[in-house]
Amino acid sequence: MVRSARQRLLAFLAQLALAALIACALAWLGQNVLDNMRERGIRAGFDFLVEPAGFDIGEGPLAFEASQPLWRAFLAGTLNTLRVGLPAMLLASALGLLIGLGRLAQHPVPRRICDALVETLRNIPLLLQLLMCYFALASLLPDASHALAPAPGVLLSQSGLFLPAWRCEDSCGWSWPRVDGFGIDGGWALTPEYMAVLIALSLYTAVFIAEIVRGGIQSVSRGQIDAARSIGLRPAQVLRHVVLPLALRAIVPPLGNQYLNLIKNSSLAVAVGYPDLVSVANTSLNQTGRAFECIVIVMAVYLSLSLLTALLVNTFNARVALRGSP
Amino acid sequence: MISRSLHTLLLLGGLLGASLTAPVAHAGKTLDTIKQRGTLQCGVSTGVAGFSLADSQGRWAGFDVDFCRAIAAAVLGDPNKVHFVPLNSQQRFAAIQSGEVDILARNTTWTLNRDGALGLSFTGVTYYDGQGFLVPKKLKVTSAKQLRNAEVCVQSGTTNEKNLAEYFRGIGVKVRPVVFEGFEASFKAFFSGRCQAYTTDISGLAGVRNKEAPNPDDYTILPEVISKEPLGPAVRRGDDEWFAIVRWVPFALIEAEELGITAANVDKIRAENKDPAFTRLLGSGEDTGKNLGLDKDWAYRAIKSVGNYGEIFARNVGPESVLKLPRGLNNLWNKGGILFAPPVR
């Protein structure tokens, strides 16, 4: 249908009016929130972000201490969320691929193992798996003064896994973990909280990815595989050059959903004491009383992370999708 | 814990919803709402031994719980007309702000920031506390200053988290906080050996040690008290009438202890004692209730149902309880403590 210039203008104006209406409604709601909060004697605004935080954050890539401002605490929390979320995505994808292929294996032993894994892990709430994983780590490992040393320079205890790290402070050099006081100092630390979140999140997401991988592979038509075999490709080559590229088209969109879920699920980390964004926001919320503002920040960060993930997945999807196919 | 997180969200959602849509709330009328509803909504902790803990029948008991019962007795005439709402440390302020609870009696520390910026007012102090450390005896630690590089388990959203950072920064000792959202998770992690020390208010430490530890004798509380933690009830800001009631019921219970009135002897004293100090408090003389919007027997009913301050203390956290805490600062002013009630007249 070809529309006249006049029709297009009317349609444009109608949309403009709707957008203005929505903007007005949002502004009215926002103003109401502020008025009501003021009326009830609750301070409002984002000015508190420049005040010193007053609390420490136990771990993370961004060094943080109590005298630094709150916005930096939120940044450290966000980085901690990414620090566990990104490796978990990689691990979950790799494990998911393996388990998914395992469920299609000819041999019954790997197939049954993978079946059992999927049915168990996806049917137990993630929070319980996380707590289970955490308390298992915390009670199985020895305390810091009796740390295990599985390899030179590596210490494993209830305080975490410590690896040697290359540090540049006054001068550059290797920082070796060593038992000092009641804990372990130096080196690069992976705390039990971090490991529990990473393991639980990866496994839980992996079994969902496994089902997506299995479904994707099963969606490849039998004829394609027969054709590949008939030109003399070995089974591994069939998988590598024919099945996976075709399956990928069915796998990528739902895979993106799993990545989004993973990022959002990482907010459960607060239950086992990992200082992620939610944990930092909870603390800030209580120290400053700015509940509304802190929740808005958390929502904005998760929304941005999710939209960014979706964008990346969609870009990748556009590249693997066959042109002209539905 | 899932349901608790959901609860937090609902509370915050409710607060947001109320702020979004409700017309501007007017001060006053909490008392009328409570009388109309027939129950007092009291926000308590999710389970701190000695302060508020539900037993297997779901009946709440504890120090904070008794103050809510005393207020219900004074206002509604029945100490059982209380609905207890368990709140974790993140939910508590939203619950009082949004009107889900009429009173927050949840071992909450009175600070300037909370009084000034959260839309609530603390009515006074019912328990003078301070923050300390619990450590396993096998570590052979005798002072918090020896906790170099230790990991300290602490609950998020508490004044304890901030005090911890400030104290160790002040003495130049490095420790690492391990911050848990839930109270249970925080002490379970400590008892599993994840942290070398556990920190909260000393009353809380006594509860955790005596009630939750696999073997209480394996743990000891260090001598350092690193902060002042005055704990007391808070009400929503803007209703002075309700504020006055929540302020004066605890005062009446302190006054009762000073006068030697207990739950057991209150009827006898009321019938026999003609001293104005007694008759004013017990409603057998001058009417003190009308200034608070209550009847003249308000304090009599409160004392009759939960006993005086000393009885509440002894039963929940003192010698008759598992906590066995000393009275310390929480003794009457004329017995070495700092409890001093203004005159009930």
Side-chain angles (χ1 to χ4, degrees):
Chain A
M1 192 183 80
V2 181
R3 291 192 300 182
S4 68
R6 187 184 149 78
Q7 277 175 318
R8 281 206 301 272
L9 181 69
L10 278 177
F12 175 73
L13 286 178
Q15 297 210 13
L16 200 66
L18 185 66
L21 205 66
I22 293 173
C24 285
L26 286 178
W28 178 75
L29 288 173
Q31 192 56 45
N32 240 2
V33 170
L34 291 179
D35 286 350
N36 278 315
M37 285 170 72
R38 202 174 304 123
E39 185 70 22
R40 293 175 192 190
I42 305 170
R43 272 194 304 172
F46 288 93
D47 52 314
F48 70 100
L49 287 174
V50 297
E51 288 165 17
F55 58 88
D56 282 330
I57 295 178
E59 60 178 305
L62 184 70
F64 182 82
E65 58 173 272
S67 55
Q68 290 173 323
L70 270 165
W71 63 264
R72 209 177 141 95
F74 276 96
L75 185 64
T78 307
L79 290 177
N80 273 343
T81 292
L82 291 175
R83 172 171 172 252
V84 76
L86 295 178
M89 276 185 199
L90 291 177
L91 262 176
S93 306
L95 276 172
L97 182 64
L98 280 179
I99 301 170
L101 291 175
R103 288 198 83 180
L104 295 167
Q106 303 283 329
H107 201 283
V109 175
R111 196 173 67 227
R112 293 275 179 249
I113 291 176
C114 291
D115 285 353
L117 213 58
V118 170
E119 292 309 334
T120 318
L121 291 180
R122 74 169 173 181
N123 288 316
I124 297 175
L126 175 58
L127 180 64
L128 297 181
Q129 296 186 32
L130 184 59
L131 289 172
M132 172 88 189
C133 194
Y134 179 61
F135 285 110
L137 278 178
S139 27
L140 292 178
L141 295 172
D143 61 41
S145 45
H146 302 94
L148 303 172
V154 178
L155 290 176
L156 183 63
S157 77
Q158 280 176 331
S159 300
L161 176 66
F162 287 76
L163 303 168
W166 184 259
R167 286 267 169 76
C168 288
E169 276 154 17
D170 297 335
S171 59
C172 288
W174 283 98
S175 160
W176 295 89
R178 62 199 152 76
V179 177
D180 180 20
F182 286 102
I184 297 172
D185 204 16
W188 187 56
L190 296 176
T191 62
E193 291 79 33
Y194 176 80
M195 290 191 285
V197 178
L198 183 68
I199 294 170
L201 211 51
S202 304
L203 282 178
Y204 184 76
T205 314
V207 297
F208 285 95
I209 292 179
E211 282 299 273
I212 293 168
V213 168
R214 183 175 68 102
I217 290 174
Q218 283 176 332
S219 75
V220 176
S221 75
R222 191 75 221 163
Q224 298 274 4
I225 298 169
D226 290 341
R229 285 211 182 123
S230 69
I231 58 169
L233 294 181
R234 288 192 305 277
Q237 289 176 312
V238 175
L239 186 70
R240 162 97 178 73
H241 294 293
V242 178
V243 178
L244 281 183
L246 286 170
L248 217 49
R249 281 185 296 153
I251 290 174
V252 171
L255 189 64
N257 282 340
Q258 291 306 323
Y259 288 159
L260 294 182
N261 281 343
L262 188 148
I263 287 282
K264 289 179 283 182
N265 284 340
S266 72
S267 61
L268 290 173
V270 65
V272 294
Y274 179 70
D276 75 331
L277 176 63
V278 175
S279 166
V280 171
N282 267 344
T283 300
S284 313
L285 183 160
N286 264 278
Q287 305 297 3
T288 62
R290 307 293 181 92
F292 184 67
E293 293 84 343
C294 288
I295 300 280
V296 166
I297 294 174
V298 173
M299 290 200 299
V301 172
Y302 276 108
L303 188 64
S304 313
L305 291 181
S306 295
L307 289 177
L308 191 66
T309 311
L311 182 76
L312 292 176
V313 171
N314 287 342
T315 312
F316 182 65
N317 189 39
R319 290 186 57 186
V320 296
L322 282 188
R323 300 203 190 283
S325 68
Chain B
M1 195 168 296
I2 288 177
S3 68
R4 205 179 304 149
S5 305
L6 193 66
H7 191 214
T8 311
L9 216 63
L10 284 177
L11 271 178
L12 291 169
L15 177 65
L16 177 57
S19 315
L20 280 170
T21 54
V24 170
H26 286 287
K29 304 315 150 235
T30 309
L31 182 60
D32 292 343
T33 314
I34 294 167
K35 282 182 172 163
Q36 210 170 11
R37 197 196 295 128
T39 54
L40 175 73
Q41 295 276 105
C42 171
V44 291
S45 75
T46 51
V48 175
F51 283 83
S52 47
L53 198 62
D55 65 15
S56 54
Q57 274 93 49
R59 199 183 145 78
W60 287 86
F63 188 86
D64 286 338
V65 165
D66 278 348
F67 279 98
C68 279
R69 290 199 193 282
I71 290 164
V75 171
L76 296 168
D78 183 347
N80 294 316
K81 286 188 175 165
V82 190
H83 180 235
F84 291 98
V85 182
L87 300 166
N88 70 22
S89 45
Q90 287 93 42
Q91 295 163 337
R92 54 185 167 182
F93 300 124
I96 188 85
Q97 289 165 352
S98 67
E100 168 152 345
V101 297
D102 305 312
I103 165 172
L104 186 69
R106 198 207 161 279
N107 52 341
T108 297
T109 306
W110 182 2
T111 68
L112 184 145
N113 180 51
R114 287 172 174 178
D115 223 10
L118 298 192
L120 50 84
S121 302
F122 285 84
T123 58
V125 179
T126 50
Y127 191 98
Y128 290 93
D129 211 340
Q131 182 175 343
F133 297 94
L134 185 67
V135 294
K137 277 184 185 159
K138 66 171 189 214
L139 291 186
K140 303 205 171 8
V141 174
T142 52
S143 157
K145 298 186 175 71
Q146 300 167 338
L147 290 171
R148 188 163 46 94
N149 284 325
E151 282 153 309
V152 183
C153 285
V154 60
Q155 197 189 356
S156 85
T158 54
T159 45
N160 303 136
E161 201 182 345
K162 221 168 172 171
N163 295 335
L164 177 70
E166 283 176 10
Y167 174 72
F168 283 105
R169 193 154 39 116
I171 62 171
V173 170
K174 202 174 97 186
V175 300
R176 199 175 81 80
V178 184
V179 182
F180 293 86
E181 187 190 23
F183 180 55
E184 293 86 348
S186 66
F187 65 71
K188 277 188 182 139
F190 170 66
F191 288 126
S192 77
R194 173 63 187 95
C195 300
Q196 289 78 47
Y198 181 80
T199 187
T200 186
D201 297 346
I202 290 188
S203 62
L205 291 181
V208 163
R209 175 179 179 267
N210 296 357
K211 196 114 196 271
E212 315 288 354
N215 180 11
D217 287 336
D218 291 346
Y219 297 90
T220 184
I221 295 173
L222 295 179
E224 282 87 355
V225 180
I226 66 166
S227 68
K228 288 191 288 187
E229 307 286 335
L231 311 180
V235 295
R236 197 158 39 261
R237 205 194 275 190
D239 187 340
D240 294 345
E241 192 187 24
W242 178 238
F243 176 91
I245 293 170
V246 177
R247 161 174 271 183
W248 277 93
V249 170
F251 280 155
L253 299 178
I254 292 170
E255 180 75 1
E257 184 182 7
E258 199 172 328
L259 297 176
I261 307 171
T262 65
N265 69 16
V266 65
D267 282 318
K268 188 163 176 287
I269 290 179
R270 192 187 195 204
E272 293 169 5
N273 198 321
K274 297 296 168 217
D275 180 339
F278 288 79
T279 59
R280 267 199 298 269
L281 186 64
L282 300 180
S284 48
E286 185 190 331
D287 184 355
T288 52
K290 66 173 189 288
N291 299 325
L292 293 174
L294 300 173
D295 64 8
K296 58 198 284 192
D297 294 336
W298 65 281
Y300 160 75
R301 284 193 304 268
I303 299 162
K304 173 92 181 146
S305 48
V306 295
N308 66 36
Y309 183 94
E311 290 178 275
I312 295 174
F313 192 99
R315 181 168 62 235
N316 295 302
V317 296
E320 296 163 32
S321 72
V322 289
L323 269 63
K324 310 254 180 284
L325 288 165
R327 279 295 283 270
L329 286 178
N330 298 295
N331 213 334
L332 296 176
W333 63 279
N334 52 7
K335 290 185 183 163
I338 55 175
L339 293 183
F340 188 106
V344 179
R345 64 194 312 165

